[in-house]
Amino acid sequence: SRRQRQMCIRDRANTTSTLSSRCIYMEPGEYRIIFSYNAGDELLIGGLKYDYFYIAFGKSGSDMATWTKIKEFKENTQNTVTKKEVQFTVAEEGNYVICFTSTELAYLEIHDIAVSKIADHDVKVESITPKIQLPRIVPQYHINTAHQFTVSIVNNGKQVENDIKLEINCLLYTSD
């Protein structure tokens, strides 16, 4: 019946829900989790509903109550997918499980999760934008001068990086 369905949904909303990873082998060091999600909702009677959740990790097979909480969240993303990063430290080598636990379930949706060890040097190009927009295909003889680009670089490593040199080489194809 409709009343039973509403009670079931309400009961489910008052319980915790956990999304757990498979075993991940980790060595001692610093790690990062990058995840995309949307959370919370706007109530029909006005106001906002927040999702309360946390990320934790622990040794595979151990009691989840003893796991280390990495970070707790109270979130409402206004129906937009949001990307976040959290960092944590693994003290000893072993197989670990990472979990996202919703403590007050509402509308939390996890879209993707990436776990990686933080390297000392981890610099990458995020985007390259030419100052003058050119079409995707340009005849070879039209490109006869140097071009300027804006390059966005992100440093995800532990070390501060100075004097980064970026070289862009273009391949020109001819059709004979």
Side-chain angles (χ1 to χ4, degrees), residues 132-152:
I132 299 171
Q133 293 289 342
L134 296 171
R136 188 176 66 83
I137 298 174
V138 178
Q140 177 180 344
Y141 56 86
H142 285 193
I143 302 178
N144 56 6
T145 183
H147 288 274
Q148 293 182 345
F149 298 87
T150 300
V151 179
S152 174

Side-chain angles (χ1 to χ4, degrees), residues 3-48:
R3 183 166 189 265
Q4 288 173 329
R5 254 189 325 214
Q6 288 175 337
M7 288 174 61
C8 181
I9 292 169
R10 188 181 69 234
D11 289 343
R12 189 173 20 174
N14 290 330
T15 62
T16 60
S17 180
T18 299
L19 171 66
S20 298
S21 71
R22 294 182 179 191
C23 288
I24 304 170
Y25 173 78
M26 292 191 223
E27 298 171 343
E30 294 178 52
Y31 289 80
R32 78 168 43 93
I33 300 171
I34 298 173
F35 63 102
S36 298
Y37 69 101
N38 55 297
D41 203 6
E42 191 171 340
L43 301 174
L44 292 175
I45 58 172
L48 297 174

Side-chain angles (χ1 to χ4, degrees), residues 47-90:
L48 297 174
K49 174 67 177 165
Y50 288 87
D51 272 300
Y52 294 85
F53 65 98
Y54 64 86
I55 303 172
F57 79 105
K59 287 257 184 144
S60 178
S62 66
D63 183 3
M64 288 178 74
T66 65
W67 289 8
T68 303
K69 281 188 183 176
I70 298 169
K71 183 154 184 178
E72 295 184 72
F73 299 87
K74 174 186 175 186
E75 297 287 321
N76 185 313
T77 62
Q78 304 283 322
N79 293 318
T80 59
V81 176
T82 302
K83 184 182 263 188
K84 287 236 174 154
E85 176 182 316
V86 294
Q87 297 181 2
F88 65 103
T89 302
V90 172

Side-chain angles (χ1 to χ4, degrees), residues 3 14 19 25 28 33 49 58 64 76 86 88 100 108 111 115-116 125-130 146 149 157 159 167-168:
R3 183 166 189 265
N14 290 330
L19 171 66
Y25 173 78
I33 300 171
K49 174 67 177 165
M64 288 178 74
N76 185 313
V86 294
F88 65 103
F100 285 70
L108 178 64
H111 297 280
V115 178
S116 61
V125 173
E126 203 166 58
S127 66
I128 300 175
T129 308
F149 298 87
Q159 302 295 323
E167 191 173 308
I168 299 175

